[in-house]
């Protein structure tokens, strides 16, 4: 008869938690060689070492328990090759997803560093690239809390919540900006980045010349900064070429200190036939 080991001894030999061995017993993955009917103590034999070794190996490869059980139901080399190939494909998918997440983290860190160490309240002229936005066109009073509108945008676009961190923006229509009316947004959007998974309708924003300004504060404090941008636009002899774009680079999702919020205003401008975001 094979030597028997208690569940504690087995756990110590294989570096497995005893609770895990009990769970494996419950689901039928590896049952004890003997269970004392009086005490309920579980005992394992050396004849089960090979099975537990295989389970440990496959779990180290992140193999789901269901697949491991499937292997033991039809244990042969062909079955092992099949589940290893399946697992290899799943690992490749996970690796691509982790690379996408790592890229997003790097981008967000770069954006936050840029936002925190920028020069505030200064108009700059920049050339921005083409962009894609997932957008909800709706009238939103500038005094409203944007959280409800963000949830509407999230439901409409079915985008994952992580995509909204530091990338949500609002627009004021070109007509209202030109009329110095800054109390209502015409749309709310999230900026789509390379690698974002989105199958819905996206609005293309052509790249071009923009006047931008960053300030410490929220959308509700933007009117004085819009006036500064419009004044600078006039001085430089430009014309407004489309709706405004406002993006809160640092918001309540990152800090409770509203004095550390950072908002960027962007006005598309032209000296010829260049167009930005229009209604």
């Amino acid at each position: 008869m094979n030597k028997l080991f208690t569940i504690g001894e087995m756990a110590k030999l294989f570096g497995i938690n005893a609770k895990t061995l009990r769970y494996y017993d419950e689901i039928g993955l590896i049952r004890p060689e003997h269970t004392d009917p009086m005490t309920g103590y579980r005992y394992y034999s050396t004849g089960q070492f090979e099975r537990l070794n295989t389970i440990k190996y496959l779990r180290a490869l992140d193999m789901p328990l269901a697949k491991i059980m499937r292997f033991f139901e039809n244990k042969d080399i062909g079955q092992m090759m099949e589940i290893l190939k399946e697992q290899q494909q799943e690992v490749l998918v996970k690796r691509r997803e982790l690379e996408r997440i790592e890229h997003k983290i790097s981008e967000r860190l770069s954006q936050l560093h840029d936002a925190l160490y920028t020069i505030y309240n200064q108009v700059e002229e920049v050339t921005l690239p083409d962009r894609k936005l997932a957008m909800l066109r709706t009238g939103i009073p500038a005094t409203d809390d944007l959280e409800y509108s963000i949830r509407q945008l999230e439901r409409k676009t079915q985008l994952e919540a992580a995509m909204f961190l530091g990338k949500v923006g609002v627009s004021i229509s070109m007509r209202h900006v030109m009329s110095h009316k800054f109390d209502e947004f015409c749309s709310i959007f999230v900026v789509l980045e390379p690698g974002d998974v989105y199958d819905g309708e996206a609005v293309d924003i052509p790249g071009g010349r923009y006047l931008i300004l960053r300030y410490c504060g929220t959308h509700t404090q933007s009117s004085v900064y819009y006036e500064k941008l419009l004044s600078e636009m006039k001085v430089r002899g430009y014309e407004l070429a489309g709706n405004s774009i406002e993006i809160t680079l640092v918001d309540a999702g990152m800090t409770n200190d509203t004095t550390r919020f950072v908002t960027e205003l962007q006005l598309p401008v032209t000296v010829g036939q260049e167009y930005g975001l229009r209604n």
Side-chain angles (χ1 to χ4, degrees):
M1 180 177 177
N2 291 329
K3 181 180 177 181
L4 296 181
F5 299 83
T6 67
I7 193 169
E9 291 171 330
M10 198 73 163
K12 187 174 181 180
L13 278 170
F14 285 87
I16 297 176
N17 193 294
K19 288 177 63 176
T20 301
L21 286 172
R22 292 189 188 97
Y23 180 66
Y24 288 172
D25 180 12
E26 289 173 13
I27 64 175
L29 183 57
I30 179 168
R31 297 194 185 281
E33 182 81 13
H34 172 70
T35 301
D36 189 310
M38 298 295 293
T39 63
Y41 290 169
R42 298 170 171 87
Y43 295 92
Y44 296 83
S45 72
T46 54
Q48 296 178 292
F49 281 18
E50 181 273 333
R51 184 179 180 104
L52 191 52
N53 264 327
T54 302
I55 293 169
K56 275 197 67 177
Y57 167 71
L58 295 176
R59 288 300 291 150
L61 299 179
D62 203 28
M63 188 81 68
L65 292 175
K67 283 189 177 181
I68 297 174
M69 292 183 72
R70 192 182 82 197
F71 166 70
F72 283 116
E73 288 168 2
N74 182 28
K75 185 180 174 184
D76 64 31
I77 190 169
Q79 180 76 349
M80 175 62 84
M81 290 181 68
E82 180 184 334
I83 65 171
L84 285 176
K85 286 178 181 178
E86 289 176 3
Q87 190 65 10
Q88 183 183 45
Q89 289 304 309
E90 291 183 15
V91 168
L92 289 173
V93 171
K94 288 180 181 178
R95 186 174 70 183
R96 286 193 289 268
E97 178 62 14
L98 287 172
E99 288 172 350
R100 185 179 73 89
I101 292 171
E102 191 277 333
H103 174 74
K104 282 185 171 295
I105 292 171
S106 295
E107 286 291 311
R108 204 63 65 242
L109 283 171
S110 177
Q111 290 170 6
L112 284 173
H113 184 275
D114 184 41
L116 292 174
Y117 296 96
T118 192
I119 299 175
Y120 302 118
N121 308 333
Q122 178 175 297
V123 178
E124 295 181 67
E125 182 174 328
V126 298
T127 300
L128 296 178
D130 295 349
R131 288 173 285 179
K132 286 185 178 292
L133 311 178
M135 179 180 290
L136 175 66
R137 296 183 186 275
T138 182
I140 308 169
T143 54
D144 277 12
D145 185 339
L146 293 179
E147 287 304 314
Y148 177 69
S149 297
I150 291 172
R151 298 290 78 76
Q152 287 183 305
L153 176 63
E154 191 174 352
R155 286 197 299 271
K156 180 198 175 205
T157 59
Q158 297 296 304
L159 289 168
E160 58 188 20
M163 291 176 60
F164 287 75
L165 188 63
K167 298 194 299 180
V168 174
V170 289
S171 288
I172 297 178
S173 70
M174 178 179 176
R175 177 169 56 87
H176 281 180
V177 173
M178 291 301 297
S179 301
H180 301 262
K181 188 174 182 292
F182 313 115
D183 59 353
E184 183 179 359
F185 304 122
C186 63
S187 65
I188 184 168
F189 59 83
V190 61
V191 180
L192 299 173
E193 296 176 343
D196 286 342
V197 179
Y198 178 58
D199 297 325
E201 181 181 355
V203 176
D204 291 305
I205 308 302
R209 183 184 288 111
Y210 282 78
L211 294 182
I212 69 169
L213 181 149
R214 290 178 177 176
Y215 66 92
C216 292
T218 67
H219 297 289
T220 60
Q221 302 161 297
S222 65
S223 59
V224 64
Y225 302 105
Y226 270 115
E227 294 291 1
K228 188 169 184 176
L229 280 169
L230 289 172
S231 177
E232 187 65 24
M233 184 181 74
K234 184 176 180 181
V235 168
R236 299 189 188 201
Y238 293 149
E239 295 180 358
L240 188 63
N243 296 351
S244 74
I245 292 178
E246 298 185 32
I247 299 176
T248 305
L249 303 174
V250 178
D251 58 16
M254 303 177 197
T255 177
N256 291 325
D257 185 355
T258 56
T259 65
R260 302 198 70 190
F261 287 9
V262 179
T263 300
E264 179 174 286
L265 305 182
Q266 303 175 3
L267 289 186
V269 295
T270 181
V271 290
Q273 296 300 313
E274 301 173 16
Y275 298 92
L277 177 62
R278 289 184 180 271
N279 274 344

